[in-house]
Amino acid sequence: MADLISGQRAWWIIGALAALAALTGVFTIQPLDRDESRYVQATTQMLETGDFVEIRFQDEARNKKPVGIYWLQAVTAGLLTSDAERPVWAYRLPSVLGAIMAALGCFWAGTRFMSREAAFAAASLFAVSILLASEGGIAKTDAMLSGATTLAMAALLALRHGGGRRDALVFWVMLGLGVLVKGPVTPMVAGLAILALLVWERKPGWLRPLLFWPGPILAALIVLPWLIAVQLATDGEFLREAIGVDLAPRLTSGLETHGGMPGYHLLTLSVLSFPFIFFLVPGFRAALPGLRDTNSDQAKAIRFLLAWIIPSWIVFELMPTKLPHYPLPVYAALALIAGLGWQAFSATPLWTRLTSITLGLLGSVVLIALILAASIVYGGSPVLAGIAAAICVMAILAVIIAIMRKQGTAALMLAIFAGLSWHVQMRMVAVPLAQDLNLSERAAQTVADMTGQSGRDAVSVISSYNEPSLVFALGTETRLVAFDEMGDAVIAQSGAFVSIEDTARSGDDMATLEQIETGVCERREVPGYNYSRGEETVLIVRLHNCEQG
C-alpha cells in the first residue's frame, strides 16, 4: 500500500473518496425537511433580492445561524444555475467541499504522529463514514463546520509537533470560518481541548505561535464585517435571537422535541461511525498504554486526541437538545484512534477485535434496516431493496472475515467499500425510489400539471402542508397557513389559484371544509408520508377559479 499512497496520491485518493461518498446523494435525494429546505430557500431569497446580509425564510427573519453557509451556497447556486431553475444539488456542493476538507484535515493530523499508512486508513475510513458523508450531501452547516473544525484542530496538533506561524494562521482562518458557519462550535471544541491540555500537562509553550498577530486579525476580518452589518440591519435582533432564542434553549431544554438523555450520542456511535467502528476498540487499546511514555510524540498526540474528544463529547451529551450530527466535529479524532487500531489490530487482544466487530454488526443491522424501510415501507422497490441489502451484507461479512484473519490491507479496502456501498444503496437507490417520502416535489409536479393543462403557467398557492421543502419546490410566494386559517384564505383569494390541504392536519370544521371547496375546478390527491411529523397523510391539491384570469 505504501506505493499507492506515496507523494500527493494519498491526498487525491482521500479527497476523491470523500467527494464520492458525499456526492452519492447530492443529485438523487429530494430537498429534505426541515433544516436543509430552510437553508436552501433562505439562500434562494438572497439571490432573488440581492440582500446578502439579512437571512430570511419567506417573510420571517432567520436569526439563528451566521451567514457563512448561505454565502457559500449562493456562490455555487448562483454560478451553476439560473433564476428559472435552481436544483437543490447546486446548494449542496459547499457541504461536499466541507466533507473533503474534514477528510484531508484528518489525514494531515494523522501524518504528524502515526505512520502514513495508518493516517491514510483513518482519513479514508472517515471520508466514507455514515455521518460525515451523509452530512456532506445535505445543504446545511454541519459538513462545512466539520471541515473547518478538523483543519483547525489539525493545525493545533501540528503546533504540538514543531509547527509554527503558518500552522497558527491556518488555525485562525479555520476558526473564523467555523464561527461564520455555525457560531461558537469550533471555538468551543478548540478551547475545551486547549484548556484540558493546559490542566493535564501545564505546558503552554506550544501555543506561543497562536499569538502571531495576523492570525486573530484574520479571524476577526472573516467574522466581524458581516456581524456588524447584520446587527445594524436588524437593529440588534440577530445576536439577541441567535443567543437567546436559538442557542440558550438548546442548552436548557430539548428544543423542537429533539430531546434525549445523556448517552444518546454514545448509543448512536456504532451506526454513525460505520465503517471505522470496526477498528475503534483496538485503537483505544493500542493508544492508552502509550500514554505512559509521557514525552513521546505519540503520547503527546494521544493526549491531544483525548482532549479533542472527551470535553466536547461531555458537552454534547449533557445538552438537553440532541441531534445525531452534533458530535461530528470530534469524529475525525475518533477516526484517528481507529487508524491506530487498524495499524495495531493484528497485535491487539482478540477481545478488542470481537468487541469492535460486535459494535460494527449492531450498526450494520440498523443501516440495513434503513435501506429496507425506505425501499419497502415507503413506496420503493422490494426487489431492489433485497439486492441492496444483500450487497451491504456481503461487504460487511467480508470486512469481518478479513479482520479475523488479521489481513490489514484487505480489511481496510473492504471497510471502505462497505461504507461506499451503503451510501450508494441508501442515497442513490432506496431514498430516491421511496416516493412516499417525496411529498413536496410530487405536490409541486401536480400543481405544474394542473396549471399547465388550464393554460396558466403560474398561479399563487395556499397550503396547510407547512413543510419548508414545499416553499422551495413552488417558490417564495407560496403561502403556508394553518388549516383553520385556510378557509378564509381561500375566500379572500381572487383569480385562479391552487390550494393544498394536508389531511393529517385537517380538522372537522365543516364550514372551513366547505370554504376550501369554493370554486374548485380540478382536484387531485398526493398520498405519502410526512417524515418530519412521523405521520401518513394525503395532500389534496385543488385548482380554483379556472375561468378567472
Side-chain angles (χ1 to χ4, degrees), residues 15 17 23 80 88 93 133 246 288 311 335 358 362 388 489 502 538:
L17 286 173
L23 285 168
L80 300 175
V88 70
L93 296 182
D246 185 60
L288 295 181
T358 302
L362 290 174
D502 180 359
V538 176

Side-chain angles (χ1 to χ4, degrees), residues 9-31:
R9 274 182 290 194
W11 298 90
W12 286 105
I13 293 171
I14 291 164
L17 286 173
L20 182 60
L23 285 168
T24 52
V26 164
F27 301 98
T28 52
I29 295 178
Q30 70 274 15

Side-chain angles (χ1 to χ4, degrees), residues 153-372:
M153 297 304 288
L156 280 181
L157 184 58
L159 291 179
R160 284 173 62 81
H161 294 267
R165 290 179 171 180
R166 185 179 63 178
D167 300 310
L169 290 177
V170 172
F171 170 80
W172 284 112
V173 170
M174 290 300 110
L175 188 77
L177 177 60
V179 172
L180 197 64
V181 167
K182 204 168 183 177
V185 178
T186 301
M188 181 199 78
V189 173
L192 287 175
I194 290 171
L195 180 62
L197 288 168
L198 290 176
V199 172
W200 192 346
E201 299 175 336
R202 295 181 175 85
K203 295 178 180 179
W206 63 276
L207 293 168
R208 192 170 293 111
L210 293 180
L211 300 178
F212 182 48
W213 63 268
I217 291 177
L218 280 173
L221 288 175
I222 291 171
V223 176
L224 289 181
W226 170 79
L227 183 59
I228 293 169
V230 76
Q231 283 293 94
L232 292 174
T234 62
D235 294 326
E237 284 297 297
F238 179 83
L239 281 179
R240 188 192 69 80
E241 292 187 22
I243 296 172
V245 178
D246 185 60
L247 178 60
R250 295 177 190 273
L251 301 176
T252 58
S253 62
L255 188 64
E256 296 177 346
T257 72
H258 297 306
M261 295 295 291
Y264 169 90
H265 295 299
L266 194 60
L267 288 174
T268 59
L269 180 64
S270 64
V271 176
L272 300 180
S273 66
F274 182 94
F276 69 76
I277 185 66
F278 283 112
F279 307 97
L280 194 55
V281 176
F284 277 110
R285 176 64 177 79
L288 295 181
L291 289 174
R292 297 168 187 161
D293 185 5
T294 57
N295 295 319
S296 71
D297 284 347
Q298 183 159 325
K300 288 168 58 179
I302 292 169
R303 288 197 296 271
F304 181 87
L305 295 180
L306 295 178
W308 182 353
I309 297 167
I310 295 172
S312 293
W313 196 281
I314 290 172
V315 171
F316 294 132
E317 292 286 14
L318 293 180
M319 286 175 59
T321 301
K322 300 282 197 305
L323 285 170
H325 59 261
Y326 278 6
L328 181 56
V330 306
Y331 264 51
L334 290 169
L336 288 166
I337 290 176
L340 289 173
W342 173 83
Q343 180 176 256
F345 84 95
S346 62
T348 54
L350 177 62
W351 69 265
T352 63
R353 300 196 300 280
L354 292 176
T355 303
S356 266
I357 287 172
T358 302
L359 293 173
L361 284 173
L362 290 174
S364 302
V365 169
V366 175
L367 293 170
I368 292 170
L370 289 174
I371 293 175
L372 295 173

